[in-house]
Amino acid sequence: MVSGVPGGRLGPVRQVPALARTEVSAGGVDVVEHPLRAPGPEDVELTITLCGLCGADIVIYRADPAFDWVRPGTVLGQEAVGVVSAAGLLVPDWPSPGTRVVPLAMTGCGHCQACLTEHPENCPQRSVLGLSRHGAAAGRMVVSWQSLLPVPDSLPDTTAVLTEPTSIAWRAASVVGNTGPGDKVAVSTTRAVGLIAALIAQSRGADVVMVGREGPQHESRRRLVERLGLRATTSLAPDSIDVWIEATGSGKRLATAVDALRPGGRLVLVALYATGEQESVRMLPGKKLTVLTSYSSNRADYEAALEFLATMPRLGDELVSVYPMSRAVEALRDAAEGTAAGGDILFKAVLQPNG
Ligand SMILES: [Zn+2]
């Protein structure tokens, strides 16, 4: 039996529990028994400790047409921390069994110009966990050893699982947004990526404020934001902001950002827009805004993310809600709604596939 992984090899097949797309329709996900292929010579098998649920998983859960091409049977999950439990014959001394690692979500062929310049997102043969190949929301997974990064001992699993969203936040706030001292930065977000981007901008010396909607969730968000040493507001004066990091994907929030940015300011989009707001797009040229888009992240962003997280090793305690595999579908529903049981705001739902 073949595992179904593109390029997969024949081998003895074991079944592992996994959260997978079962059909291309809203709510078409479930915990299934997934056939795990044997590691090839350059592969390792990871036992997944924790796997965060992200925007792509939510798009699949909602069956947004953007990811209609993701085949039923595909295991979800891009954000994992795990332990090497088996290694192929050609895997070097590192990573040996027992090593705690984070896998890159996006990998390329490793040979083309895009890959050689560390831009696998431009590789024609790129593949992404949980979309074009099986993801990490499973008891075990098989990946190339070259896609792994070591996790510092000082980082608990609940914070290490934030490496992927932190790498996205790092690229948005640092590489693309270039935030720094003297910048007034606003961040709109409902999820961990935006919150971490705010922390990164602040650590780079920017004056940062989190912008949220009025409402019952604003209070619980405000308390969390303040515990993390950030400020929160529900409104900003027009033309008062230098850099806006927009991480909600809401057309309304985009319009607010365009209004609050000063002429010549920088708008960093780190979300996908299902619904556009034509009015805000019309205003962009008049205000001479620099519109920057930030998409995906590479190994350098992951390394920066792990370094940043090492400065806040308890961050996971604030942002992460852990669900056992038996509640995986509920975790995905909560993540889609941004609300945990009891109505509390949910920044990052995380699965414990072996829990
Ligand atoms: Zn390539």
Side-chain angles (χ1 to χ4, degrees):
M1 185 174 173
V2 181
S3 71
V5 177
R9 295 173 184 80
L10 290 168
V13 171
R14 282 171 297 156
Q15 305 286 326
V16 293
L19 177 63
R21 166 168 259 185
T22 50
E23 53 183 65
V24 185
S25 62
V29 298
D30 210 346
V31 177
V32 300
E33 285 295 310
H34 172 72
L36 184 76
R37 69 182 169 98
E42 298 201 46
D43 291 332
V44 298
E45 178 191 278
L46 299 184
T47 298
I48 303 299
T49 315
L50 294 174
C51 176
L53 298 176
C54 68
D57 301 314
I58 293 168
V59 167
I60 287 177
Y61 173 73
R62 289 180 172 152
D64 184 307
F67 286 160
D68 267 2
W69 56 269
V70 176
R71 290 181 303 178
T74 303
V75 177
L76 308 189
Q78 303 186 344
E79 308 173 355
V81 57
V83 175
V84 175
S85 42
L89 284 174
L90 299 181
V91 175
D93 288 348
W94 190 96
S96 58
T99 309
R100 204 160 59 111
V101 292
V102 166
L104 293 168
M106 183 182 283
T107 50
C109 70
H111 311 296
C112 71
Q113 190 57 28
C115 287
L116 293 175
T117 53
E118 292 288 338
H119 285 286
E121 71 274 20
N122 298 331
C123 173
Q125 291 175 54
R126 67 187 173 276
S127 69
V128 185
L129 296 182
L131 296 175
S132 51
R133 56 184 301 195
H134 294 307
R140 288 166 191 243
M141 75 185 302
V142 172
V143 290
S144 162
W145 74 269
Q146 282 143 321
S147 74
L148 301 178
L149 292 96
V151 177
D153 289 343
S154 62
L155 225 50
D157 290 323
T158 44
T159 299
V161 75
L162 295 171
T163 303
E164 199 272 351
T166 303
S167 73
I168 301 281
W170 177 266
R171 185 175 279 199
S174 301
V175 182
V176 174
N178 194 25
T179 56
D183 282 332
K184 283 192 173 152
V185 176
V187 180
S188 44
T189 189
T190 53
R191 303 192 196 288
V193 167
L195 201 54
I196 297 170
L199 291 169
I200 291 170
Q202 184 159 280
S203 77
R204 292 167 59 88
D207 178 13
V208 181
V209 64
M210 305 287 300
V211 190
R213 271 199 306 264
E214 291 278 8
Q217 283 207 344
H218 178 66
E219 268 312 296
S220 84
R221 183 201 315 266
R222 190 181 58 76
R223 281 195 300 274
L224 168 62
V225 159
E226 288 177 357
R227 273 206 305 280
L228 293 171
L230 292 161
R231 289 182 299 126
T233 186
T234 54
S235 67
L236 285 166
D239 298 351
S240 64
I241 296 296
D242 299 308
V243 184
W244 188 301
I245 299 173
E246 209 304 290
T248 66
S250 144
K252 272 190 185 151
R253 193 49 76 191
L254 178 59
T256 313
V258 173
D259 184 54
L261 277 162
R262 67 165 169 78
R266 308 199 289 286
L267 173 60
V268 182
L269 304 179
V270 66
L272 299 172
Y273 293 84
T275 58
E277 285 279 308
Q278 291 187 6
E279 185 57 31
S280 35
V281 174
R282 250 202 315 276
M283 285 163 65
L284 296 176
K287 293 191 80 167
K288 297 188 174 62
L289 294 181
T290 300
V291 181
L292 302 160
T293 57
S294 190
Y295 173 68
S296 182
S297 56
N298 63 12
R299 179 176 288 272
D301 300 318
Y302 272 68
E303 286 165 355
L306 284 161
E307 225 168 272
F308 177 76
L309 289 173
T311 68
M312 301 189 78
R314 307 310 310 183
L315 185 60
D317 295 349
E318 298 285 1
L319 298 190
V320 163
S321 301
V322 178
Y323 293 73
M325 201 59 163
S326 56
R327 290 173 57 209
V329 175
E330 180 190 338
L332 198 46
R333 190 190 60 217
D334 287 355
E337 290 170 3
T339 311
D344 258 1
I345 194 158
L346 177 66
F347 277 97
K348 179 55 70 182
V350 163
L351 294 183
Q352 193 170 26
N354 294 294

